[in-house]
Amino acid sequence: MLWVAIIGLVMTVAAVALAGRRVLFLFRLATSGQPAPERIEYARANVGIGIKTQLVEVFGQRKLLKWTPSGVAHFFVMWAFFILLTVYIEAYGAIIKGAITGHADFSIPLIGTWPVLGFLQDFIAVACLLGLVAFAVIRIKNSPKKLGRDSRFAGSHLGGAWLTLFMIFNIIWTLFLARAAAINTGNFPYESGAFASGAVAALLPHSELLEQIALLLHIGFMLVFLVLVVNSKHLHIFTAPLNVLFSRRPDGMGAAQPMRSNGKVLDFEEADPDVDVFGRGKIQDTTWKGFLDFYTCTECGRCQSQCPAWNTGKPLSPKMLILDQRDHALAAAPYLLASEEERAGFGEDVLALLDKPLVAEDGVIHPDVLWSCTNCGACVEQCPVDIEHIDHILDMRRYQVMIESSFPSEAGVMLKNLENKGNPWGMSEMKRAEWIEELANLDPPVEVPIVDEKMPADTEYLFWVGCAGALEDRAKKTTKAVAELLHIAGVKFAVLGPMEACTGDPARRLGMEFLFNMLAQQNIETLNDAGVKKIVATCPHCFNTLANEYPQLGGTFEVVHHTQLLARLVEEGRLTPITPIEEKITYHDPCFLGRHNKVYAQPRDIMAKVPGVQAQEMHRCKDRGFCCGAGGARMWMEERIGKRINTERVDEALTTDPDTVSTACPFCLVMLGDAINEKKNAGEAKETLEVVDVAQLLIKSVKGA
C-alpha cells in the first residue's frame, strides 16, 4: 500500500496547490474592488440571524425546494457533498494505515463502525446518482437548442455544467467500487447497513489491487473535481454560504442602498466626482460583495425565467447581467492586479480592456439592458444564493445618470418636474388638495384635515397621499375611498396637502441619488416639524421609501400600507362589508408591496370579507407575481422593445375570465388600466372589465353604493 499512499499524497498536494492558487487569485480580485464594511458589521452584529439563515437557506435549501423536482435533486446532491466527506476520511485513512501497517482496515474513531453511518453514506450516494439523472433530464428537456430564450439555461455555460455532472458521476461510481472492493477484502468498517456497496461487492472478485486502484480513482476524481470547481461556476459550492452570510436581511429588496465611496456613505455637500466613486462606471468600482455575487452565480437561470423584461422580449437577463460582469472581471483580472510598473508596459489593447465602460453601446452591459429593469425584485426573490441584482443595476444607473448624464430622454422631463414642482408630472402643488374638495361635496360630507404646521393632538395617522394619489384621476378614486373608509371607521387622520412632495422614489430608482436626497430630506424635515409618528400610504413605492429608505437619512416613522390598516379595521369590526359584490375578481400583487415588503395576505383578506366576491388567482401570483411594468422609474420611460409588460400581465389576467382586476398600487392601476383599454379597443376584453383598488371594492360594499 506504500505506492498507493505516495501517489495519493502527490495528487493531493498538487490539487490543493492548484486550487489554493486559484482561490488566492479570486480573493485578491474581489478585495481589489470597493470595500463594503457595512456587510461585515451587520454579520458580526447579527450572528444569530446569520446562523439561522445558513441553516434555512444553505443547509435547508429553502428557495431551491420551491422548484421541484430540480430543488429536491439539488438538495440530495448538496447533502451528498457533506455526508460523503466521511467516505474521504475513510479513504485517506485506509491508504495511510495500509502504508504503515499493511492493512487498510481503517474506521473513523467513535462512529466509524456504526451501521447507520454506513447506510447513510450509501443512501445519499444513491440519492445523488438519482439527482444527477434528474439534472440531466431537466437540462435536456429545457435545452436552449429546443426552447431558445424560453429556456432558463439560455446564455449559461452549458459545457461546464455537463462536465460537472460527469465528474460527480465519476466520484459516485468509484465510491461504490472502492467500498465494494473493501467489503470483499475484509477492510470495510461496517458489518451491515451499506446496502448498495454490498450489492456491488457481490459482482466483484476478491482483489486487494482492485481496492487500491479504486481508492486512488475515487480520491483522484475528487481532486480533479476540486480543481474544476474553483475554476468554474460550481465555485458556488464554497462561495454560496459566504454570499448568503453577507447578503442583506431579510433579503436584498425593500430599501435601495445609499451610495458609498470607499465604504463610506456619500455626503453630497462634500462629495467630489473626481475623487469619490459615484456608482459603478468600471468593473473596479464593484464592491467585494459584488465580486462575491459574480463568483456565486450558479447560472441556473431562475432569475431569468421570472424576469418580466426577459419574458417580454427585452435584452435584460438578470443572469447574463451578472455573468457578463464576471467574465469581464476575470478577463481584466491579471491587469487589475498588476503593479504600477507592470501596467506601464501594457499595450493599448490591455488598457482598452481595463478602461472598458460597464455600460455603453460597446461596453460590458448594453444601455438597453440597464434601462429595461423595473426593479420588481423577481430575480432577487428567486435566486437560491442571494445574489442582489437590483443593487448592481442601481449602482450602474447612478454612474450613468450622475456622471455620464446618459439615460432615456423622457426620464429627464420627470427629473426636471421633480426638482421644480415636487411631482413627476410637473403639476402645481395646489392641485394636491383638489380631491379633498370633492369629498367635502359628498352627502354627508367627509372632512379631511390639512396639517397646519403641527399634527392635531388627537390625530393618529398622517395620510401620505402620494403624487399619483393626489394628481392622477384613476388613483384619486383610491385616495377618496381610503379617506372615506378611515372616516367611517373613526380613524383620526390628516394630510399634508400642498406641503407634501414626492418621496423621491422615481429619482432614486432612476439613479439620481442627489435629487432623491434633496426630496427626502425636505420631506423628513416637514414630517418631523409636524410631529408625525404614524403614516398610512396608498402607494407601495411611497410606503417602501418612507418605511425602509427614509431611516437612512434620519427619518424614522411607523408606516403602514392602506391595505394593512383597512384589513385590521375590518377584522376589528370597525368596517363591515355588507353589500355583496357578485363578481369574479383576480388580484394583481404590486411588486413593491408584495415581493419588496411581503404584504400578500391583507389585500386578499379584505376581498375575502366582501360578500359575493369570487377570488381567482393568476398563475403568477404572490412571490412569483408578474410586474405591471411601472417600477424602477419605468413609469416615465417609453417601452419600445418587445411586448409591453402591462399587456403581458393583462393577458394573464384575462385567462381567469375576470369581471374585475383588483390591485393595491396607483402605478399598477394606471398600467393595467391602459392595457385593459387597449384590449377593449381591440375587442379582446369585455367592455365592463375594469381595474380597481382593493379599497374601492371595500367602500362599495361598506356603503352599498
Side-chain angles (χ1 to χ4, degrees):
M1 286 287 286
L2 180 60
W3 67 276
V4 177
I6 293 172
I7 294 174
L9 178 62
V10 171
M11 289 194 305
T12 301
V13 170
V16 170
L18 288 172
R21 181 184 179 190
R22 177 67 174 182
V23 170
L24 180 60
F25 161 76
L26 294 172
F27 176 79
R28 290 180 61 215
L29 177 58
T31 52
S32 71
Q34 288 283 302
E38 75 282 2
R39 304 289 185 152
I40 298 174
E41 290 169 8
Y42 183 86
R44 285 176 175 169
N46 296 273
V47 175
I49 292 175
I51 293 172
K52 179 182 177 182
T53 303
Q54 293 292 312
L55 292 174
V56 173
E57 300 291 346
V58 178
F59 295 101
Q61 300 278 277
R62 180 184 66 86
K63 287 188 176 180
L64 271 171
L65 287 174
K66 292 180 179 179
W67 295 73
T68 52
S70 59
V72 174
H74 192 278
F75 179 86
F76 284 115
V77 172
M78 180 209 68
W79 272 98
F81 279 97
F82 296 137
I83 295 173
L84 296 183
L85 286 174
T86 59
V87 174
Y88 281 104
I89 294 173
E90 292 170 352
Y92 275 102
I95 62 174
I96 293 171
K97 185 176 181 182
I100 296 173
T101 68
H103 301 287
D105 54 342
F106 175 81
S107 62
I108 300 173
L110 301 178
I111 61 170
T113 59
W114 190 31
V116 173
L117 179 58
F119 170 81
L120 187 59
Q121 290 168 336
D122 270 24
F123 170 79
I124 202 67
V126 171
C128 182
L129 275 180
L130 295 175
L132 297 180
V133 173
F135 286 151
V137 171
I138 290 168
R139 287 189 169 275
I140 292 170
K141 184 179 178 182
N142 294 282
S143 169
K145 291 182 180 179
K146 290 172 29 179
L147 302 179
R149 65 182 284 136
D150 288 337
S151 169
R152 63 184 174 92
F153 300 118
S156 299
H157 298 82
L158 302 177
W162 283 111
L163 177 59
T164 299
L165 293 181
F166 177 65
M167 289 303 300
I168 298 174
F169 170 72
N170 286 329
I171 289 172
I172 299 300
W173 77 257
T174 54
L175 176 147
F176 285 125
L177 180 66
R179 287 162 70 86
I183 289 174
N184 287 340
T185 60
N187 291 327
F188 195 60
Y190 308 102
E191 293 184 2
S192 62
F195 61 97
S197 298
V200 175
L203 305 175
L204 298 179
H206 177 284
S207 171
E208 291 187 359
L209 179 61
L210 177 61
E211 180 188 7
Q212 294 164 3
I213 293 173
L215 281 171
L216 285 178
L217 281 174
H218 185 49
I219 290 173
F221 277 123
M222 179 272 291
L223 294 172
V224 171
F225 182 64
L226 173 64
V227 176
L228 173 67
V229 162
V230 297
N231 284 275
S232 73
K233 76 183 187 73
H234 284 80
L235 180 65
H236 77 269
I237 293 172
F238 301 117
T239 58
L242 290 174
N243 208 48
V244 170
L245 175 65
F246 293 116
S247 62
R248 294 197 275 125
R249 293 289 126 208
D251 53 44
M253 291 188 282
Q257 295 302 285
M259 281 180 63
R260 294 177 181 268
S261 177
N262 295 312
K264 297 180 180 179
V265 176
L266 275 179
D267 180 346
F268 286 103
E269 293 184 1
E270 300 178 358
D272 182 356
D274 294 329
V275 177
D276 294 306
V277 175
F278 272 56
R280 191 183 305 179
K282 298 177 183 177
I283 199 67
Q284 301 94 304
D285 299 333
T286 308
T287 66
W288 60 259
K289 174 58 173 64
F291 278 99
L292 198 55
D293 279 350
F294 301 160
Y295 300 162
T296 308
C297 181
T298 69
E299 304 186 26
C300 66
R302 288 174 174 83
C303 58
Q304 180 174 289
S305 70
Q306 300 298 302
C307 176
W310 183 261
N311 274 276
T312 52
K314 296 167 183 61
L316 168 61
S317 160
K319 175 183 69 179
M320 297 309 301
L321 180 95
I322 297 299
L323 296 187
D324 287 345
Q325 291 183 87
R326 182 187 74 188
D327 292 346
H328 173 62
L330 292 175
Y335 315 113
L336 288 173
L337 300 178
S339 65
E340 291 296 328
E341 292 181 1
E342 292 170 327
R343 290 189 182 189
F346 289 165
E348 290 186 5
D349 56 336
V350 173
L351 295 175
L353 180 65
L354 280 173
D355 294 332
K356 188 173 185 179
L358 270 184
V359 181
E361 294 283 342
D362 58 349
V364 179
I365 306 296
H366 193 278
D368 287 341
V369 171
L370 186 70
W371 297 112
S372 293
C373 179
T374 68
N375 279 205
C376 73
C379 49
V380 179
E381 175 70 34
Q382 295 301 329
C383 181
V385 291
D386 285 1
I387 291 172
E388 295 160 345
H389 311 77
I390 294 177
D391 290 359
H392 290 262
I393 288 170
L394 283 180
D395 272 349
M396 286 186 273
R397 284 187 173 188
R398 286 162 171 169
Y399 183 86
Q400 290 301 298
V401 173
M402 302 182 72
I403 301 299
E404 296 292 326
S405 296
S406 176
F407 51 90
S409 58
E410 58 270 19
V413 177
M414 179 268 290
L415 290 177
K416 288 180 181 177
N417 288 335
L418 285 179
E419 187 172 0
N420 297 328
K421 296 293 186 178
N423 67 80
W425 290 282
M427 298 173 72
S428 168
E429 61 187 21
M430 300 311 296
K431 284 187 171 293
R432 285 185 178 272
E434 286 184 357
W435 65 273
I436 299 175
E437 297 174 12
E438 296 171 20
L439 283 180
N441 294 327
L442 292 178
D443 185 21
V446 175
E447 299 292 334
V448 178
I450 299 177
V451 174
D452 181 16
E453 293 188 1
K454 290 288 185 181
M455 286 273 285
D458 62 342
T459 303
E460 185 178 3
Y461 285 98
L462 175 82
F463 180 11
W464 186 274
V465 180
C467 301
L471 305 172
E472 205 283 327
D473 288 340
R474 286 166 286 188
K476 282 163 69 173
K477 294 178 182 178
T478 303
T479 302
K480 289 185 284 187
V482 171
E484 273 199 88
L485 288 165
L486 295 180
H487 176 75
I488 293 169
V491 176
K492 298 291 185 180
F493 69 97
V495 299
L496 289 175
M499 287 199 300
E500 186 181 293
C502 179
T503 60
D505 168 81
R508 182 169 233 192
R509 297 290 164 170
L510 185 74
M512 180 52 83
E513 188 75 5
F514 173 76
L515 181 54
F516 164 76
N517 269 257
M518 184 180 76
L519 290 166
Q521 288 171 354
Q522 172 188 325
N523 283 325
I524 290 169
E525 183 178 351
T526 299
L527 292 168
N528 285 335
D529 287 348
V532 173
K533 302 297 181 184
K534 297 167 72 173
I535 300 173
V536 57
T538 54
C539 175
H541 297 263
C542 295
F543 167 60
N544 179 69
T545 306
L546 291 164
N548 300 323
E549 297 180 351
Y550 276 21
Q552 297 170 358
L553 299 170
T556 303
F557 312 99
E558 182 184 331
V559 188
V560 297
H561 188 253
H562 74 281
T563 57
Q564 294 175 303
L565 179 55
L566 294 179
R568 178 164 63 82
L569 294 174
V570 171
E571 186 67 28
E572 292 173 353
R574 296 168 68 180
L575 290 172
T576 306
I578 298 174
T579 304
I581 298 178
E582 302 290 348
E583 293 180 4
K584 184 190 291 185
I585 300 177
T586 188
Y587 175 72
H588 164 80
D589 286 283
C591 300
F592 275 77
L593 182 64
R595 265 190 300 270
H596 280 276
N597 286 285
K598 308 299 180 284
V599 179
Y600 299 116
Q602 289 91 333
R604 290 173 170 82
D605 291 344
I606 293 171
M607 290 171 55
K609 292 293 177 66
V610 175
V613 167
Q614 303 171 51
Q616 178 68 50
E617 293 284 9
M618 284 182 261
H619 173 65
R620 291 180 287 206
C621 62
K622 298 182 181 178
D623 62 352
R624 291 196 190 183
F626 199 78
C627 185
C628 75
R634 289 284 333 162
M635 180 86 168
W636 291 275
M637 292 184 243
E638 291 297 326
E639 196 170 343
R640 299 184 176 91
I641 304 173
K643 183 179 181 180
R644 292 181 66 86
I645 293 174
N646 60 340
T647 302
E648 172 71 12
R649 186 53 165 167
V650 165
D651 281 341
E652 186 171 357
L654 291 177
T655 63
T656 68
D657 189 28
D659 299 307
T660 298
V661 177
S662 69
T663 188
C665 171
F667 288 5
C668 297
L669 203 68
V670 171
M671 297 297 286
L672 299 180
D674 287 348
I676 286 174
N677 288 336
E678 289 177 4
K679 292 293 180 182
K680 287 180 181 179
N681 293 335
E684 297 174 8
K686 49 193 176 188
E687 286 298 320
T688 56
L689 180 63
E690 60 178 350
V691 56
V692 300
D693 191 275
V694 171
Q696 292 172 259
L697 291 173
L698 183 59
I699 191 68
K700 185 177 179 181
S701 181
V702 169
K703 289 182 66 178

